Amino acid sequence: MSADVLVVGAGPTGLALAAHLAAFDVSVMIVDRAADRAHESRALAIQPRTLEVLAGLRDGAGPGPDRSVSQRLVSAGNRMARLQVHAGGRVTTVPMFDLAMFDTAYPYLLVLSQAQTERILAEHLAAVGVEVRRQVTLTDLTQAPDGVECALRGPDGRVETAHARYVVGCDGAQSTVRRHAGIEFAGSTYPQVFALADLEADGLERGTAHAYLSAGGPLFFFPLERPATWRLLVMLPRSTSDTPGLDALQALTDGYTGGTVRLRDPVWMTTFRLHLRAATAYRSGRLFLAGDAAHIHSPAGAQGMNTGIQDATNLAWKLAAVLRGGPAELLDTYEAERAPVGRWVMRLSDRAFTAATSTSAPVRFARTRVVPLLLPLASRLRRARSTVLRATSQLDIRYRHSPLSTEGPGAPRRGPRAGDRLPEPPGTAMPGWQLLWPSDAPAPEHGTAQRLTVHRRPGKAILLVRPDGHIGYRSGPEGVDGLNAYIGRWFAG
Ligand SMILES: Cc1cc2nc3c(=O)[nH]c(=O)nc-3n(C[C@H](O)[C@H](O)[C@H](O)COP(=O)(O)OP(=O)(O)OC[C@H]3O[C@@H](n4cnc5c(N)ncnc54)[C@H](O)[C@@H]3O)c2cc1C
């Protein structure tokens, strides 16, 4: 058994990676030790940038937009338009994603259960001919100069050896790949315990998220719709040691809502603790880590699954290019670009988590007294809200300091720079690089070789856009030599 890439783990990260690799015609094998995909809701928010990066994944014969993974996600989910904050005896409605989303086709936060997200990704993968091999567990691996030998234990307990040129651990927080790579997962566990329940709740206004703030911590209701109308998330008091049943959750909820919300018909209830941990490296030789195998943090900010899917998007085209004979250094840029993003997401979620949960006197005071006074101003604080929305949407993630980002001579002062995401890329057809060329300049000499598609457009700037939609090279018309040097360095030989 052999494949160019073995993807270990068929959570959202592994599924997205396998789908991107298949789009680049890479031979890929994906295994998961679980008998079936997850049916719990878990991550329920899909950020605008995630919908953008999945838009290029299409299957079936027709070219219609409904054939993209993103369009299917959008059809299955619902858009979260606002948040109602209940604090200090007031209810304040804060609009969400109503501004700062001027440059994306997906200007909203999409609420969809992770089970549905995984279903749609897995269905796409099956449609392009890649089956997830289930009940197959990676138990061991050995790196050789030209590949990796992997021991895979199947459903009948038999162990077979698979050969792969590269292995990507998308195998979650307890990653086997990470352990075999000898990479540390440094960090800590938060002391707080949370309860989560997908259920029905009478007495809540539909179609909006609700946050109840108290001195003891927050309680949230998110509008999930399927498999239940609401997702309840609440921090448990320190004195609670057992997993609360519905009655105990009702009692807790009454403490926040004054008895105005009635809980019933739970379809999933669990308690969990949260961690803040990052892999100290994203790569060891032919082994890579992506998603929760590389970083875990609190769900505050709804970034985890989204970050994993974008790790996958970043890595897939690089693996594909190197497998086609491209320069091996391309693979080093994965960690150079994604590890800083992972650290940034961890800081963001840690700050949001601390603000929401800390029981220290100043933070408690701010949460229960200051926030209720400031919130009515929130819809007028456009600048502050824009900053928060842009950050959480992941639209502004950029790789300006990457070795892959080059500003050539005459690069315009304005506009997105090398390393930035190019808003509205010229074509969403995966895969390949796109060259944006000034329409009044003589035709470029680089043909369509190396999957480089040329688009002519008004203006003076030359832009070379990577397969993941980030600008690799940017210059004025005088930057053609620099462009050639860039192509010589980074394209398949
Ligand atoms: C309660 C909860 C709420 C959350 N809310 C949000 C949210 O709102 N927004 C957000 O973005 N994120 C959220 N998250 C986080 C999100 O669920 C994770 O970030 C996401 O599932 C990570 O995806 P992954 O594919 O990297 O890993 P996982 O989903 O953990 O998938 C790993 C897969 O690897 C398989 N595997 C493991 N070891 C092996 C092995 N040795 N061999 C074969 N297969 C193996 C496992 O069976 C599993 O299917 C939440 C998480 C929880 C628990």
Side-chain angles (χ1 to χ4, degrees):
M1 231 187 347
S2 70
D4 280 337
V5 180
L6 171 66
V7 177
V8 184
T13 306
L15 291 168
L17 178 65
H20 279 304
L21 288 169
F24 288 109
D25 295 325
V26 170
S27 102
V28 57
M29 176 165 36
I30 174 166
V31 300
D32 198 294
R33 67 181 172 198
D36 196 3
R37 62 184 170 77
H39 288 276
E40 297 88 25
S41 58
R42 295 172 69 194
L44 49 72
I46 304 181
Q47 300 288 351
R49 182 62 182 148
T50 305
L51 291 170
E52 286 189 351
V53 302
L54 296 178
L57 296 175
R58 291 158 192 272
D59 55 73
D66 55 327
R67 298 207 168 263
S68 80
V69 166
S70 300
Q71 207 52 45
R72 285 181 198 156
L73 293 170
V74 169
S75 303
N78 55 302
R79 304 170 191 197
M80 191 154 101
R82 56 195 195 278
L83 170 71
Q84 280 193 1
V85 182
H86 307 249
R90 298 166 185 242
V91 182
T92 311
T93 300
V94 183
M96 294 186 61
F97 287 77
D98 57 323
L99 46 89
M101 296 291 119
F102 47 86
D103 59 351
T104 178
Y106 306 96
Y108 42 81
L109 186 71
L110 187 75
V111 179
L112 183 66
S113 133
Q114 185 172 329
Q116 296 304 314
T117 302
E118 291 187 19
R119 174 183 62 78
I120 289 167
L121 281 167
E123 283 173 2
H124 165 78
L125 208 48
V128 297
V130 181
E131 288 296 335
V132 177
R133 296 188 57 205
R134 294 215 160 266
Q135 289 179 283
V136 175
T137 306
L138 173 85
T139 55
D140 199 5
L141 52 80
T142 313
Q143 291 204 62
D146 60 345
V148 189
E149 288 216 337
C150 304
L152 299 178
R153 194 180 60 230
D156 54 5
R158 280 214 319 239
V159 176
E160 53 184 340
T161 303
H163 301 269
R165 301 273 301 279
Y166 298 97
V167 173
V168 188
C170 304
D171 46 353
Q174 309 294 330
S175 172
T176 307
V177 175
R178 192 182 64 231
R179 182 159 43 83
H180 283 284
I183 297 173
E184 210 190 318
F185 205 34
S188 57
T189 301
Y190 291 107
Q192 294 89 341
V193 180
F194 290 82
L196 177 158
D198 292 346
L199 41 55
E200 301 306 315
D202 302 324
L204 282 175
E205 185 181 324
R206 294 281 290 266
T208 171
H210 297 266
Y212 291 83
L213 306 184
S214 84
L219 176 144
F220 295 96
F221 285 100
F222 297 103
L224 185 61
E225 299 301 338
R226 280 193 301 171
T229 309
W230 295 101
R231 148 78 60 86
L232 163 69
L233 180 66
V234 62
M235 188 170 123
L236 295 179
R238 277 172 195 268
S239 51
T240 315
S241 55
D242 299 329
T243 302
L246 188 61
D247 290 345
L249 271 187
Q250 180 69 62
L252 260 175
T253 304
D254 289 346
Y256 285 87
T257 65
T260 56
V261 178
R262 186 105 316 257
L263 309 180
R264 61 182 168 84
D265 303 330
V267 294
W268 182 44
M269 289 169 61
T270 187
T271 53
F272 60 93
R273 290 182 68 180
L274 294 164
H275 313 266
L276 189 66
R277 290 181 191 279
T280 49
Y282 280 31
R283 178 186 185 185
S284 167
R286 291 176 173 276
L287 311 179
F288 293 85
L289 301 175
D292 275 20
H295 40 72
I296 51 170
H297 47 79
S298 91
Q303 301 289 302
M305 180 183 74
N306 294 277
T307 308
I309 289 174
Q310 281 163 67
D311 288 345
T313 308
N314 187 289
L315 181 57
W317 70 267
K318 295 172 182 175
L319 281 170
V322 172
L323 284 163
R324 282 200 305 268
E329 305 94 276
L330 258 183
L331 294 177
D332 293 329
T333 69
Y334 169 62
E335 175 170 322
E337 294 183 347
R338 293 305 298 174
V341 173
R343 286 193 291 272
W344 172 81
V345 166
M346 287 174 68
R347 276 199 305 278
L348 178 84
S349 83
D350 185 46
R351 282 189 197 146
F353 179 83
T354 305
T357 63
S358 171
T359 48
S360 81
V363 181
R364 250 176 25 206
F365 181 77
R367 193 165 62 228
T368 54
R369 298 289 165 85
V370 182
V371 170
L373 293 177
L374 289 182
L375 270 176
L377 298 175
S379 48
R380 276 183 269 151
L381 299 174
R382 295 177 67 84
R383 206 186 167 112
R385 282 199 310 120
S386 294
T387 306
V388 173
L389 293 177
R390 291 297 292 189
T392 55
S393 69
Q394 303 200 343
L395 291 169
D396 284 346
I397 285 174
R398 54 200 191 194
Y399 309 127
R400 286 188 183 172
H401 302 294
S402 165
L404 265 174
S405 304
T406 302
E407 289 273 290
R413 287 189 178 189
R414 289 166 169 251
R417 293 168 46 182
D420 295 3
R421 149 190 172 271
L422 181 71
E424 298 166 34
T428 48
M430 290 272 285
W433 290 76
Q434 323 240 4
L435 180 60
L436 274 56
W437 192 258
S439 43
D440 55 357
E445 281 168 22
H446 335 279
T448 48
Q450 319 300 353
R451 299 180 183 221
L452 175 63
T453 313
V454 181
H455 302 264
R456 285 181 162 269
R457 61 166 207 169
K460 298 279 177 219
I462 295 173
L463 294 179
L464 183 58
V465 185
R466 309 169 2 168
D468 58 5
H470 286 260
I471 298 168
Y473 178 84
R474 189 180 81 125
S475 75
E478 63 270 52
V480 177
D481 288 348
L483 174 69
N484 286 331
Y486 186 96
I487 288 174
R489 174 159 185 217
W490 292 113
F491 274 50

